[in-house]
Amino acid sequence: MALVARRIGRLGTENAFTLGDDIRRCVDRGMEVIRFNLGAPDFRSAPHLNRVATAALEAGRSGYCDPAGILPFREAIADHVRRTRGVDAGPERVVVTPGAKPSIGYAVQTYADEGDEVVYPSPGFPIYESWVRFAGAVPVPLPLSPDRDFAFTADDLAPLLGERTRLVILCSPSNPTGGVLSRDDLAGIARLIRERCRPDVRIYSDEIYEQILFDGLEHESIASHPGMPERTVLAGGHSKGFAMTGWRLGWAVLPTPEEAAIFKRININVMSCVPPFLQEAGAAAYEDPASAVAVRRMVAEFERRRDWIVPALNEVPGVGCRTPKGAFYAFPDVSGLCARLGVYEACEEFHKGGRGRTTPAGMLQMFLLYRHGVATVERASFGRIGSEGQDFLRLSIANGMEDIRRGVGRIAEAAEDAEGFAEFADSEDAEAFCR
C-alpha cells in the first residue's frame, strides 16, 4: 500500500513560487538575483485601507465570522459588480475566499465529475490545469497564439465544446500573456455558449486583473452579456489591482444562491472564514474614493514599465515580444535565443542520454538564473499539456524600473554568452533541474 494517494500525483504547482528554492541557492552563493518570477505588485497596500483593518483589529473584530464573508463586504462586492458589469447580484450570491485562487478549485470540484471536460486557456494560470487533473476531469486546453495577441474568438472555442463539457474557464486580462478579450470577442463567445451548451454548463471568469489595463482600455466581462449572469462564476479579488497580495482577499459571485451555498460549505470544510478585520478593509477598497486614485497611479506606472520593457526585449537578439494590453507581464518568444545559444541541441542530448526531461525554455530559464542572476518562468509552467515547441518566458514587470533595466541588460548579456551556456549545460545545476 502506497503512503500517498494516487491523486496527489495529479496535483500540479505554481512554478513562480517553487523557483524560490533555486533563487535561494543562487543567493547563498553570493549572487544578486533580479526577480521577474512572481506576479506580486511592488506597491504597498494603500494607507487608508491599512487604517481600516488596524481599527477593526483594535476594536476586537478578529474572531470567527460568516464563512461566506461578512455582509458589508459581500454587499460592497455586489455593488462593485453591479456598477462595473451591470449584473444585479445580491450578497446572497457572493462568497469571500482567502485570495482569488481557491475559487478555481471550488468551481472544478463543484461542477466537474471524473471524465467531464474542462476547457481552459493555455498558456494560462497553471492552477487551472492542476485542479482539473486533480479532480479527475479531462483537461481541454484552448491554445492562445501570439499572432492574435493571445486573445481568442468563438471560432477558436467552438471545436473544443462537446457533450462532456461542464466548465469553460476564461481569464482577461490574462496571466501570463497580458492578452485581453474585447467586447466583440466576448459577445461571440457568449453567443456560442448560449447556442451550443446546456444551461448547466458554467463559465468561470477569472477577472483578478480587472483594474490593470493599458492604452485607455476598459474592462469587459462575459457576465455583462445576455444569458451569461445565470451561467457565470465571476471571480475577482484584491491581490493585483489593490496590491494586497498578502491580505488574501478574494471573492466569487455565483449564478444562484444555491451554488453560493456550495462554495460556502467548501469554505467551512477548508478554512472556516476569512478574518473579518481584513474584510472590512476589502469593503473600503471598493467604497473609498481614495482607492481609485491609488489604483490609477499604480497602473500608470505599470504601463510606463511595459512601454520600456517591450522594445528593450525586442532589441535582444533572438527575442520577440508582443505588447501586452493588460496585467503586468511581458511574455517574449525566446525560440530565437534558444537557437542562438545552442539550447535545442543541449536538450536533445539530455533526452538522448536519459538524464531527464526539460523544455528548451526551461533550460534557458535556469541558465539565466544560475549564470546571469535573472529569475523568469518558462512557458510550460502555464499549462504543460500541448505546450511542446512553444518557447516563451514570463517576466513580471511588478518590479522597480531600475531592476527591470538591469534585468533586461543581463538577458542581453546572456544572449552573447554561448560559451557560458555550454558550460552550464554540462554542470550539476543543469543536471539537478533536468533530472
Side-chain angles (χ1 to χ4, degrees):
M1 182 180 294
L3 170 66
V4 178
R6 287 190 297 273
R7 62 178 170 272
I8 294 299
R10 302 195 298 264
L11 187 66
T13 187
E14 188 175 351
N15 287 337
F17 283 100
T18 59
L19 195 64
D21 292 339
D22 295 282
I23 292 173
R24 281 190 292 274
R25 196 170 296 119
C26 291
V27 171
D28 289 345
R29 296 176 183 179
M31 294 178 65
E32 179 205 30
V33 177
I34 304 295
R35 305 186 188 204
F36 286 137
N37 56 310
L38 280 182
D42 59 316
F43 294 82
R44 295 182 178 180
S45 51
H48 70 283
L49 303 180
N50 299 342
R51 288 192 292 269
V52 171
T54 300
L57 185 59
E58 290 179 344
R61 292 191 286 278
S62 58
Y64 289 134
C65 64
D66 187 333
I70 62 173
L71 182 59
F73 188 24
R74 288 186 288 124
E75 289 176 334
I77 293 164
D79 289 342
H80 170 68
V81 168
R82 190 178 302 113
R83 290 194 311 270
T84 57
R85 280 82 162 178
V87 175
D88 190 15
E92 72 281 356
R93 288 168 51 192
V94 179
V95 177
V96 177
T97 55
K101 192 181 293 185
S103 63
I104 301 168
Y106 292 6
V108 174
Q109 293 176 92
T110 297
Y111 301 114
D113 279 320
E114 287 194 21
D116 288 337
E117 296 180 353
V118 179
V119 181
Y120 59 94
S122 184
F125 189 47
I127 304 305
Y128 304 149
E129 188 171 282
S130 175
W131 268 112
V132 173
R133 296 184 68 244
F134 184 75
V138 178
V140 182
L142 169 58
L144 304 179
S145 169
D147 296 335
R148 308 267 292 278
D149 289 330
F150 299 103
F152 67 93
T153 68
D155 289 340
D156 302 308
L157 176 60
L160 306 181
L161 300 178
E163 286 299 314
R164 298 305 301 268
T165 302
R166 295 290 289 131
L167 187 64
V168 178
I169 298 175
L170 308 179
C171 182
S172 177
S174 167
N175 173 16
T177 67
V180 172
L181 297 173
S182 70
R183 185 169 185 81
D184 287 344
D185 293 336
L186 291 168
I189 293 166
R191 183 166 53 251
L192 174 69
I193 297 295
R194 291 194 303 268
E195 294 173 353
R196 290 276 301 276
C197 295
R198 301 186 310 273
D200 61 354
V201 171
R202 290 291 176 258
I203 309 301
Y204 181 89
S205 188
D206 185 343
E207 302 182 18
I208 186 67
Y209 294 94
E210 63 175 282
Q211 292 99 342
I212 306 174
L213 287 152
F214 307 133
D215 306 317
L217 293 177
E218 295 184 358
H219 181 62
E220 300 287 348
S221 172
I222 195 164
S224 302
H225 293 266
M228 290 298 106
E230 56 266 38
R231 298 174 183 252
T232 300
V233 178
L234 176 58
H238 289 49
S239 293
K240 311 303 182 180
F242 296 114
M244 298 170 74
T245 50
W247 294 64
R248 309 317 299 140
L249 287 172
W251 49 263
V253 178
L254 283 297
T256 65
E258 292 76 17
E259 289 163 85
I262 296 171
F263 275 41
K264 176 179 177 177
R265 192 180 348 152
I266 300 176
N267 262 356
I268 292 170
N269 276 267
V270 175
M271 39 66 68
S272 297
C273 60
V274 174
F277 63 92
L278 299 180
Q279 295 187 57
E280 291 193 32
Y286 291 126
E287 294 172 342
D288 191 324
S291 300
V293 176
V295 169
R296 284 195 298 270
R297 185 183 304 117
M298 182 177 67
V299 172
E301 176 59 19
F302 286 148
E303 186 165 5
R304 184 175 79 91
R305 296 172 187 178
R306 179 207 65 166
D307 291 344
W308 186 88
I309 196 171
V310 170
L313 286 170
N314 283 325
E315 289 180 5
V316 177
V319 176
C321 188
R322 310 289 291 194
T323 301
K325 296 180 179 180
F328 41 65
Y329 307 105
F331 195 64
D333 182 334
V334 293
S335 54
L337 181 52
C338 288
R340 179 183 180 89
L341 294 176
V343 179
Y344 292 117
E345 293 83 355
C347 278
E348 188 175 349
E349 287 302 312
F350 259 86
H351 302 162
K352 282 181 181 178
R355 292 186 289 171
R357 305 292 299 179
T358 184
T359 66
M363 185 173 275
L364 176 64
Q365 166 194 278
M366 302 313 285
F367 168 62
L368 291 175
L369 175 57
Y370 276 96
R371 293 298 184 268
H372 291 272
V374 182
T376 61
V377 187
E378 63 157 328
R379 157 66 179 96
S381 296
F382 300 100
R384 186 165 294 275
I385 300 171
S387 67
E388 296 82 1
Q390 300 175 22
D391 294 309
F392 293 81
L393 295 176
R394 190 194 76 171
L395 284 69
S396 170
I397 58 173
N399 280 296
M401 182 61 86
E402 179 59 28
D403 275 355
I404 291 173
R405 292 179 187 275
R406 292 196 301 137
V408 174
R410 293 183 186 186
I411 294 172
E413 291 173 2
E416 306 296 337
D417 190 16
E419 182 177 340
F421 175 76
E423 293 175 356
F424 168 77
D426 287 331
S427 70
E428 292 182 358
D429 293 327
E431 287 279 0
F433 174 70
C434 300
R435 65 172 179 267

